[in-house]
Amino acid sequence: MTDTAAEPLIHDHDHRSDYAESNSDVDVDESTLVRPGVFIWVLTFCAGVSGLLFGYDTGVISSTLVSIGTDLSARPLSTLDKSLITSSTSLFALIASPLTGVLADHWGRKRVILLADVLFVVGALWQALASTVWGMIFGRSIVGLAVGSASFVVPLYISELSPSPFRGRLVTVASLFITGGQVVAYITGWLFSTHAHGWRWMVGLGALPATIQFLILEFMPETPRWLVKANHKDRAKNVLLRVYGGDEEIKNMVNAVLRRIENEILEEEEAAGGRTNSEVPKHGFGGRLAKVNDGLVQLIAVGGNRRALIIACMLQGFQQLCGFNSLMYFSATIFSLVGFRSPTLTSLSIAITNFAFTLIAFHSIDRIGRRRTLLYSIPIMVIGLALCSVAFNFVNIPSHEAATNNPVIKAAGRTGSMIWPMVILVAMIVYVAGYAIGMGNVPWQQSELFPLSVRSIGSGIATATNWGSNFLIGITFLPMMEGLTSVGTFALYTAICIVCWITVWRIYPETCGLSLEEVSKLLKDGWGVQESVRRAEERKRAAS
């Protein structure tokens, strides 16, 4: 095989024939890889620090809300205050996701991670120094911009660097960091909950990991797929050689991967109507706007891209609408209302369960597959939520406003039997276990659904769907607990999970073991569910 570093980015039809001959070889070669190399593990862990920040900032608010007291605006927090403080992060993450999707194509994935680090530091320090409710909301909003950027770009970064046999597992590392960050947040909240103004330390400590990642970012490369698209093929080849290794067989594999990427770019340009680089302005605002518009047109007009967007948005939306982050944001509030004497410490069991079962997902996602993981785990979520709904019917919960403003009422809720509160805790743990195995991880594999030309903007829009749904959950949970009651709220989440399972069964194909370019072809003429399941069974039989 010739060295592709000397070849032009766009091949003619003869080169496409060469690619077709080598493409089957690279599939076989990649499937023979035994384990990820040291370099890709280092990159994954460095990028995963953003996931740690993501998890910490979404988890720490639970302990913060029950620890602030009258420190903000010299009064207790109302239901509206808590809802706004919590949901402002989601709202601004929603705003940031599609915008940074555009920036990731223009600047590169690495620079967007750097931008997120700066926002994490500013947001954490602003919260720690806040003296009013609106000051706290502003700090949480800055953190939201950081979380929205990191939550989309880190899985994209890891996905574009990873060899296909390990892609699911390596992207799941980002989820491990998220859940690990939530555990750290709950432990930090528990340690500082008894200290005067300890909540300021809880939120302020989020600046430390961001500063560390900012310093190590200089040693992280850009992704090879973005480098090829930006006409830096020599640099892309060097990154791939370090990711895959350096012997002669690996060099041939790297050359084939580069050629496959180039061929995808060529096919995408032809699918977009034969558009060439000369037809799009290259510089200035007009050029950037034209590229964004061209990407949106391709995302909607091309059938395969549109189906990828529907699947990615469906998964991200259901991930939040099933109510999981209501536990992350308000678990301490819930456990306080049902009678637990140490609600922050009780909430830690939720975070630990989430982390532990994400480890199971890490081990199984590339073995069982994305589709089957969801079809097996969502019923566990349904059982947990349904049991929660039933158990809440036997617990006398005071209204949030009454419990907040009248300690006697709050203490009265602790004098009854703890049997049903314990059932609620167990049911939530069951629900979180099912969530962590499937819905907590699989939606973040979204980058693999999109072809390179729309991967960044498509992932950004899907992530915006996640944060839009997250915002809806954050702003409505406490009012729903009072209006629909806790029984009705968790019954609604149960129904949403059932709808999610049906949708996954109908339209989500199995992408495990496929290269990024192969996934794009799978969705070209339909949802590809039956074809993907058949191919997954063939790969399973071949491996056994």
Side-chain angles (χ1 to χ4, degrees):
M1 182 179 293
T2 58
D3 188 338
T4 57
E7 297 173 3
L9 179 62
I10 305 300
H11 295 297
D12 57 25
H13 291 286
D14 290 334
H15 281 120
R16 188 186 298 186
S17 299
D18 294 339
Y19 163 79
E21 293 174 3
S22 65
N23 192 33
S24 61
D25 292 336
V26 70
D27 291 340
V28 174
D29 289 340
E30 280 197 283
S31 68
T32 62
L33 293 173
V34 177
R35 63 181 63 88
V38 174
F39 184 64
I40 186 60
W41 277 119
V42 171
L43 294 181
T44 300
F45 275 80
C46 289
V49 174
S50 290
L52 179 73
L53 291 162
F54 173 4
Y56 186 87
D57 281 299
T58 55
V60 77
I61 195 63
S62 177
S63 304
T64 302
L65 291 177
V66 296
S67 302
I68 287 176
T70 59
D71 285 352
L72 296 178
S73 300
R75 58 176 174 79
L77 297 178
S78 66
T79 297
L80 180 61
D81 292 334
K82 290 188 175 185
S83 297
L84 289 175
I85 289 171
T86 302
S87 59
S88 59
T89 302
S90 306
L91 177 61
F92 279 82
L94 164 64
I95 294 170
S97 299
L99 293 179
T100 50
V102 175
L103 291 178
D105 269 342
H106 182 62
W107 289 355
R109 291 39 166 154
K110 173 181 170 179
R111 290 181 181 176
V112 173
I113 299 176
L114 176 62
L115 173 64
D117 284 333
V118 174
L119 293 171
F120 272 124
V121 172
V122 174
L125 295 180
W126 193 287
Q127 290 177 85
L129 299 174
S131 60
T132 65
V133 170
W134 284 105
M136 186 68 171
I137 291 172
F138 184 76
R140 294 293 296 171
S141 299
I142 297 175
V143 167
L145 294 174
V147 168
S149 304
S151 62
F152 130 77
V153 78
V154 169
L156 174 62
Y157 180 85
I158 297 172
S159 180
E160 290 193 340
L161 278 162
S162 303
S164 57
F166 318 118
R167 188 175 61 245
R169 202 184 319 170
L170 292 171
V171 172
T172 301
V173 170
S175 296
L176 270 173
F177 271 91
I178 294 172
T179 57
Q182 290 165 346
V183 172
V184 172
Y186 279 111
I187 292 174
T188 303
W190 173 55
L191 292 175
F192 284 99
S193 61
T194 57
H195 291 69
H197 314 296
W199 66 270
R200 297 188 184 276
W201 284 99
M202 297 179 199
V203 295
L205 285 173
L208 182 60
T211 303
I212 294 173
Q213 187 181 52
F214 186 93
L215 295 175
I216 65 177
L217 194 68
E218 180 63 29
F219 303 99
M220 297 168 61
E222 187 52 79
T223 72
R225 285 171 172 83
W226 186 86
L227 289 171
V228 171
K229 192 175 181 182
N231 292 321
H232 298 301
K233 194 164 62 174
D234 287 341
R235 290 171 58 191
K237 183 176 182 179
N238 289 334
V239 174
L240 284 170
L241 285 172
R242 296 182 70 184
V243 167
Y244 283 81
D247 59 33
E248 194 62 34
E249 182 180 355
I250 293 298
K251 289 179 180 178
N252 291 338
M253 185 189 301
V254 166
N255 288 335
V257 170
L258 284 172
R259 187 172 300 218
R260 187 171 63 199
I261 297 169
E262 292 171 336
N263 188 75
E264 183 188 11
I265 294 173
L266 174 61
E267 290 182 350
E268 289 167 358
E269 290 184 348
E270 291 176 349
R275 218 178 148 101
T276 63
N277 290 337
S278 62
E279 291 172 324
V280 180
K282 293 183 179 180
H283 303 289
F285 178 77
R288 290 192 291 273
L289 187 62
K291 289 180 180 178
V292 172
N293 182 66
D294 187 55
L296 288 171
V297 169
Q298 289 188 52
L299 192 61
I300 302 301
V302 179
N305 298 346
R306 186 170 61 251
R307 281 182 281 274
L309 183 64
I310 291 171
I311 293 171
C313 289
M314 175 271 293
L315 291 175
Q316 292 286 18
F318 277 125
Q319 187 195 63
Q320 298 303 319
L321 293 176
C322 68
F324 174 77
N325 271 324
S326 63
L327 299 187
M328 286 297 102
Y329 298 147
F330 301 114
S331 59
T333 300
I334 295 171
F335 292 136
S336 175
L337 291 175
V338 301
F340 284 95
R341 296 189 177 277
S342 181
T344 299
L345 185 59
T346 308
S347 298
L348 182 59
S349 63
I350 299 295
I352 291 175
T353 300
N354 193 22
F355 179 77
F357 281 86
T358 302
L359 281 172
I360 295 176
F362 168 77
H363 177 75
S364 64
I365 192 167
D366 280 326
R367 294 174 173 84
I368 296 177
R370 285 65 150 153
R371 174 182 164 85
R372 286 202 297 170
T373 295
L374 288 181
L375 293 178
Y376 293 163
S377 62
I378 293 174
I380 300 175
M381 297 168 59
V382 170
I383 293 171
L385 287 171
L387 184 57
C388 264
S389 181
V390 171
F392 272 118
N393 195 48
F394 297 93
V395 178
N396 183 24
I397 301 179
S399 73
H400 174 262
E401 294 285 2
T404 300
N405 296 314
N406 192 334
V408 175
I409 293 176
K410 189 172 181 179
R414 293 175 175 167
T415 60
S417 170
M418 288 300 294
I419 294 176
W420 286 108
M422 286 301 298
V423 172
I424 291 173
L425 175 60
V426 171
M428 286 185 176
I429 288 174
V430 170
Y431 163 68
V432 170
Y435 177 91
I437 293 171
M439 287 303 294
N441 294 285
V442 175
W444 295 114
Q445 308 291 332
Q446 62 188 11
S447 301
E448 68 185 10
L449 297 168
F450 297 99
L452 183 59
S453 63
V454 294
R455 184 169 296 146
S456 183
I457 191 169
S459 298
I461 292 173
T463 305
T465 303
N466 179 293
W467 288 109
S469 304
N470 192 315
F471 171 75
L472 184 63
I473 289 295
I475 200 71
T476 61
F477 178 72
L478 291 178
M480 282 173 59
M481 288 282 283
E482 295 182 357
L484 283 180
T485 74
S486 51
V487 175
T489 299
F490 280 84
L492 177 61
Y493 293 153
T494 304
I496 289 172
C497 285
I498 294 172
V499 174
C500 174
W501 188 92
I502 294 170
T503 309
V504 168
W505 178 73
R506 289 183 62 86
I507 71 171
Y508 184 43
E510 182 55 74
T511 59
C512 178
L514 300 178
S515 70
L516 294 176
E517 293 71 30
E518 286 175 321
V519 176
S520 301
K521 291 181 174 62
L522 185 66
L523 295 170
K524 186 175 182 181
D525 298 315
W527 299 109
V529 173
Q530 293 182 348
E531 173 66 14
S532 69
V533 171
R534 182 186 63 79
R535 293 172 66 175
E537 290 297 326
E538 289 177 351
R539 289 193 299 272
K540 184 178 178 180
R541 285 194 296 269
S544 60

